[in-house]
Amino acid sequence: MQKLVLLGDEAIGQAAIDAGLSAIYAYPGTPSTEINEYVMASKEAKEGRIIASWTVNEKTAVESALGMSYSGKRSMACMKHVGLNVAADPFINSAITGVNGGMIVVSADDPSMHSSQNEQDSRFYGNFAMLPILEPSNQQEAYDMIHYGFDLSEKFHVPVLFRITTRLAHSRSGIERKAVRTQNPISLPENLKQFILLPAIARKRYQVLLSIQDALEEESENSGNNVYIDGSDKSLGIITTGLAYNYLMENFPDRTVPHPVLKITQYPLPRKMLQKIVSECKEILVIEEGMPVVEETLKGILDHGIKIKGRLDGSLPRSGELNPNLVAVALGKPMIKGDDVPSLIVGRPPSLCEGCPHTDSYFALNEAMAEYGKGRVFSDIGCYTLAALPPLEAINSCVDMGASIPMARGAADAGLLPAVAVIGDSTFTHSGMTGLLDAVIANSPITVMILDNSTTGMTGGQPSAATGRLKQICLGLGVEENHIRILKPLRKQHTENVRAIKEELSYQGVSVIIPTRECIQTLNRRMREKFKNKKTE
Amino acid sequence: MKNDIIIAGVGGQGILSIAAIIATAAVNNNLYIKQSEVHGMSQRGGEVQSHLRISSSPIASDLIPTGAADMIISLEPMEALRYIPWLKPDGWIITNTEPFLNIPNYPPIEDVLAEIKKRPHHIMMNADEVARELGSEKAANMVILGAATRCLDIPYEEIEKAIRNFFGRKGEEIVKMNLSALAKGREMALL
Ligand SMILES: Cc1ncc(C[n+]2csc(CCOP(=O)(O)OP(=O)(O)O)c2C)c(N)n1
Ligand code: SF4
């Protein structure tokens, strides 16, 4: 069969289609976005009537997937690692309800924070929820393990967490496909009370979850996803998780490691395999991408006399993405490097696109705020966060999606006035609406700017759930109509815009300003497509 | 056979097209590939890079180790230098000489070019100008790819085929333009 060359993300999308997926729900977030985009663009998925949908946030994605699974069908929810924080409630509770159709939650971690606020490790969530975790080491395994993951989910009737990291998500390689499986028919769960987590039922369901833990571990020992590769030099045993295995192998050009190696791609951890490598080897080196999850587990808080090297003892850096060179050093090999970067090289920080509507919104805001001084603008996550950098330097916070409005409210409560929140349209529907309702109920004297560029710009221009609805939403949440101001963020409207913002800054209640102009990138894309369609007509 | 290639440039310059074309040619030649790319901030004028690994045997790491790259293919001179730690001592730099000026503190271009010339193996050309003369500035990336074919262990015809495949949907005119940009870059790399 001709090999398909796919990104790790795309391999997951293709695998899900081939494994009988009925629906995928996702909120965009680097490095997970391409999974859903791939299914959305797939002809096969269309022919199979697979639902591929952007949801308003990650929580509704997991909940929608759970509803699909309740109905007997295979479903998937995809997000970036911080998305799993947002979806933590349904995720943890779906372990208690269990599932009917196979369900996989994909969480894409971003060690080194290439495009994220932190580098949290999703495996903690998997362990927390007591669910099986799959962590493929390469694109082919990602493809194969999605098939396996759905079977695993249906065998044990629990969701499966699928953990990937940036480098696998955004790296391409050849994939061999498996046979296509048909979708599940619709069916109700065997026990119609299973999904009702009233305390009396939840207690029983929790016992069920506890009772399968040994079997899940047994599965990890025997599935073939965790592999013990023997080596004659037992002075060191090496444990790798996920794609760290590749960095180990890169250091042995003939692909044979003299030491025993335990390659882990499935959790709960295979205790017997761990016992074997620990008892046979003098020292253990743990190589894992992300946080030292396995290393800490092995170490425990008491000293068992096992010598364990890894991120905690400094053999590998405590934070950041791994690479073959860091692993070489941990193996005691020399660090090979070309010349140093010449000193004249400077950074090229990202900036708002030429003609971006956000620039004009911030010009107006900066001028309106000038008389109050700096330090009063709470913002959020999106392209508009780039206003933190020169030349705009317009904002003072970016914490988690939706935080801007409640933070402004809190600051206003403290007496820091005026307090301004600046939030993107997609971020607003993701998790800004609840904060705005709080502010309305408290009649907080804050000014909220919702930057409506009709898209989710930062992640590549996916549709925004807010488009065409913002004013209605704000009205519905109780913002007074005469304090909802729609502006056109254009250079020539500048004076007018500054005046409008100043008026609302002096209003002692919630006002919402909505600068509305389409993102230049999506506008150009739309125009190109229009032109193309015209040509083919 | 093994080619470890760093492809560098600025968001929007078309480095991912170069990567995709070499990768397609390699796969059609039954070679193994891994190609890692940086997404996210890249469309907003930031630096973009891709690690492309081609080999006749299976490849372990998605990332090229430092000091191991056979070549750096760059659409921008300063960006070529950013990845010098990855280049092995006898590796090649194949780069455009036209700076992409979207920052206020871009170093003097003569210094940048002088720094590149310090390396034993380099191919430099003003790909923007060459592409402009051929009729489309957008094809600068294909000019550089053409120059790079001098260092790639993939038959030239396979790269041509991959270009036909890559631009095929856009019509014969675009295909021809890109093929002539490729040929011109290859020709100039000998001068
Ligand atoms: C919980 C969470 N989910 C997803 C992301 C990824 N993310 C960052 S910004 C952004 C979209 C912002 O869109 P919008 O608010 O419309 O602003 P724009 O980028 O269009 O200016 C997304 C999805 C994230 N950082 N956190
Ligand atoms: S992608 Fe759109 S919203 Fe983002 S900076 Fe560019 S023009 Fe602005």
Side-chain angles (χ1 to χ4, degrees):
Chain A
M1 193 186 247
Q2 171 76 27
K3 277 195 175 179
L4 275 179
V5 177
L6 297 178
L7 289 177
D9 274 354
E10 296 169 341
I12 290 170
Q14 183 65 53
I17 294 168
D18 295 347
L21 181 81
S22 293
I24 172 171
Y25 303 97
Y27 183 72
T30 316
S32 71
T33 310
E34 292 81 4
I35 305 171
N36 194 29
E37 283 182 337
Y38 184 85
V39 181
M40 284 181 150
S42 156
K43 237 176 80 193
E44 289 164 85
K46 255 185 219 100
E47 283 161 9
R49 293 171 186 276
I50 295 173
I51 291 167
S53 167
W54 294 119
T55 51
V56 156
N57 63 33
E58 294 85 354
K59 180 172 184 284
T60 63
V62 170
E63 289 156 346
S64 305
L66 190 61
M68 180 62 66
S69 159
Y70 176 100
S71 315
K73 303 201 176 200
R74 290 187 163 186
S75 67
M76 191 149 96
C78 304
M79 62 209 64
K80 70 182 291 166
H81 59 347
V82 287
L84 194 49
N85 297 335
V86 177
D89 206 0
F91 178 70
I92 304 284
N93 286 309
S94 67
I96 314 284
T97 61
V99 302
N100 184 18
M103 172 167 153
I104 294 180
V105 175
V106 183
S107 181
D109 292 357
D110 189 19
S112 278
M113 308 180 220
H114 295 285
S115 37
S116 308
Q117 314 101 285
N118 73 34
E119 57 174 36
Q120 66 184 61
D121 192 314
S122 296
R123 292 175 296 168
F124 282 110
Y125 272 111
N127 291 340
F128 183 19
M130 290 188 277
L131 290 176
I133 309 168
L134 300 176
E135 189 194 5
S137 78
N138 60 39
Q139 294 81 351
Q140 184 67 54
E141 280 180 15
Y143 178 88
D144 295 340
M145 288 171 92
I146 285 286
H147 290 259
Y148 169 74
F150 278 120
D151 291 343
L152 181 69
S153 172
E154 285 174 2
K155 179 172 173 189
F156 290 98
H157 307 289
V158 285
V160 169
L161 178 65
F162 205 85
R163 185 223 186 201
I164 55 171
T165 50
T166 307
R167 207 49 67 180
L168 176 59
H170 284 173
S171 173
R172 256 174 252 278
S173 186
I175 302 291
E176 257 172 77
R177 285 174 67 181
K178 288 179 185 285
V180 175
R181 178 190 180 279
T182 51
Q183 293 178 38
N184 290 349
I186 196 164
S187 73
L188 284 172
E190 245 169 62
N191 171 1
L192 277 181
K193 296 220 163 83
Q194 169 189 343
F195 283 78
I196 311 172
L197 295 186
L198 279 167
I201 301 169
R203 280 181 211 115
K204 283 197 197 119
R205 291 295 317 168
Y206 185 43
Q207 290 307 318
V208 173
L209 180 62
L210 291 174
S211 74
I212 63 168
Q213 294 302 308
D214 287 348
L216 289 176
E217 194 179 309
E218 191 71 27
E219 181 77 22
S220 281
E221 305 270 2
N222 302 321
S223 67
N225 289 325
N226 295 327
V227 190
Y228 193 98
I229 309 152
D230 211 357
S232 55
D233 183 352
K234 316 264 186 212
S235 62
L236 183 72
I238 303 169
I239 299 172
T240 68
T241 76
L243 97 170
Y245 179 73
N246 306 341
Y247 298 144
L248 173 67
M249 296 319 274
E250 185 69 30
N251 280 290
F252 297 92
D254 63 352
R255 303 290 180 254
T256 41
V257 184
H259 310 285
V261 175
L262 174 55
K263 176 190 178 197
I264 292 174
T265 58
Q266 181 172 354
Y267 308 73
L269 285 171
R271 204 179 311 229
K272 286 190 203 127
M273 288 174 146
L274 287 171
Q275 241 148 20
K276 181 171 155 75
I277 196 161
V278 166
S279 64
E280 282 182 2
C281 300
K282 264 224 199 77
E283 252 182 24
I284 297 290
L285 171 65
V286 185
I287 313 173
E288 52 193 325
E289 186 74 300
M291 293 176 160
V293 176
V294 173
E295 192 181 342
E296 266 178 344
T297 309
L298 273 187
K299 251 195 162 104
I301 53 169
L302 300 177
D303 182 4
H304 300 298
I306 316 164
K307 183 141 196 294
I308 296 169
K309 301 194 296 179
R311 286 188 184 270
L312 293 172
D313 78 332
S315 298
L316 288 164
R318 181 64 179 79
S319 68
E321 192 182 7
L322 295 177
N323 60 46
N325 303 93
L326 292 171
V327 172
V329 172
L331 291 166
K333 296 178 180 245
M335 173 77 155
I336 296 168
K337 235 168 73 133
D339 296 346
D340 287 336
V341 180
S343 56
L344 60 104
I345 301 305
V346 293
R348 211 186 273 273
S351 55
L352 292 169
C353 301
E354 189 71 32
C356 173
H358 296 335
T359 309
D360 292 310
S361 300
Y362 280 118
F363 274 148
L365 177 65
N366 275 354
E367 191 172 324
M369 288 298 287
E371 61 183 286
Y372 302 106
K374 289 210 168 283
R376 291 147 200 281
V377 181
F378 301 90
S379 192
D380 240 297
I381 309 187
C383 286
Y384 54 95
T385 317
L386 293 172
L389 310 174
L392 288 167
E393 297 184 279
I395 61 169
N396 307 104
S397 75
C398 158
V399 182
D400 65 270
M401 289 189 83
S404 58
I405 302 176
M407 280 184 76
R409 181 254 162 118
D413 283 352
L416 184 74
L417 291 172
V420 177
V422 182
I423 185 169
D425 54 344
S426 180
T427 307
F428 178 70
T429 43
H430 178 285
S431 28
M433 299 187 293
T434 42
L436 184 59
L437 182 57
D438 270 347
V440 166
I441 290 167
N443 192 29
S444 179
I446 63 169
T447 304
V448 178
M449 279 177 84
I450 307 176
L451 306 183
D452 184 2
N453 61 354
S454 310
T455 191
T456 314
M458 188 70 172
T459 43
Q462 295 77 20
S464 161
T467 303
R469 298 189 179 89
L470 275 179
K471 187 173 178 191
Q472 288 303 319
I473 292 173
C474 295
L475 281 172
L477 290 173
V479 182
E480 283 175 37
E481 182 153 22
N482 53 345
H483 290 288
I484 301 177
R485 309 280 292 262
I486 316 268
L487 307 181
K488 196 107 214 136
L490 282 172
R491 204 62 51 96
K492 61 176 194 228
Q493 307 275 93
H494 179 74
T495 321
E496 230 170 283
N497 291 347
V498 173
R499 193 182 330 115
I501 297 172
K502 279 187 167 171
E503 280 166 18
E504 295 311 326
L505 286 174
S506 63
Y507 171 61
Q508 292 308 302
V510 176
S511 27
V512 174
I513 297 169
I514 312 177
T516 308
R517 177 156 74 81
E518 187 174 358
C519 157
I520 289 289
Q521 298 289 348
T522 55
L523 179 72
N524 286 343
R525 198 167 64 205
R526 245 173 3 96
M527 289 304 150
R528 273 198 305 273
E529 269 155 28
K530 210 163 141 187
F531 181 69
K532 218 169 54 196
N533 293 343
K534 266 234 174 82
K535 252 172 111 180
T536 51
E537 258 169 29
Chain B
M1 172 266 155
K2 168 199 92 101
N3 281 167
D4 280 339
I5 310 163
I6 305 261
I7 310 173
V10 179
Q13 281 194 312
I15 78 151
L16 296 183
S17 310
I18 296 186
I21 287 163
I22 304 178
T24 309
V27 171
N28 289 341
N29 248 343
N30 287 322
L31 296 168
Y32 291 91
I33 70 141
K34 282 212 171 183
Q35 183 233 325
S36 147
E37 53 197 46
V38 175
H39 291 212
M41 297 284 206
S42 46
Q43 62 173 281
R44 278 158 225 91
E47 59 230 32
V48 191
Q49 56 152 328
S50 171
H51 286 214
L52 176 57
R53 315 191 73 184
I54 301 170
S55 173
S56 46
S57 48
I59 303 161
S61 165
D62 298 85
L63 291 173
I64 300 169
T66 50
D70 300 291
M71 69 194 88
I72 294 174
I73 302 177
S74 182
L75 296 175
E76 209 281 346
M78 182 174 74
E79 295 307 320
L81 290 169
R82 200 184 295 287
Y83 305 103
I84 284 283
W86 273 266
L87 194 63
K88 59 184 193 192
D90 59 346
W92 282 83
I93 298 182
I94 302 119
T95 184
N96 190 1
T97 52
E98 187 69 9
F100 191 102
L101 301 170
N102 65 346
I103 43 171
N105 54 340
Y106 195 97
I109 181 68
E110 318 78 64
D111 297 359
V112 172
L113 298 180
E115 198 54 66
I116 298 170
K117 284 184 189 145
K118 280 191 203 162
R119 316 292 140 181
H121 304 300
H122 55 261
I123 302 174
M124 299 162 74
M125 62 184 64
N126 188 329
D128 288 38
E129 199 178 275
V130 175
R132 215 176 298 131
E133 277 164 14
L134 288 171
S136 167
E137 201 159 323
K138 272 200 191 149
N141 58 346
M142 291 303 116
V143 174
I144 293 297
L145 174 57
T149 56
R150 295 277 177 205
C151 308
L152 288 170
D153 292 318
I154 297 177
Y156 183 69
E157 307 72 56
E158 288 293 341
I159 302 283
E160 285 187 312
K161 244 193 261 170
I163 288 186
R164 276 198 205 97
N165 194 312
F166 190 83
F167 292 104
R169 275 184 315 139
K170 299 192 172 168
E172 190 50 30
E173 223 169 286
I174 303 272
V175 171
K176 275 210 181 111
M177 144 69 56
N178 282 287
L179 285 175
S180 60
L182 185 82
K184 188 76 191 168
R186 183 174 170 85
E187 181 195 318
M188 286 182 63
L190 261 197
L191 303 179

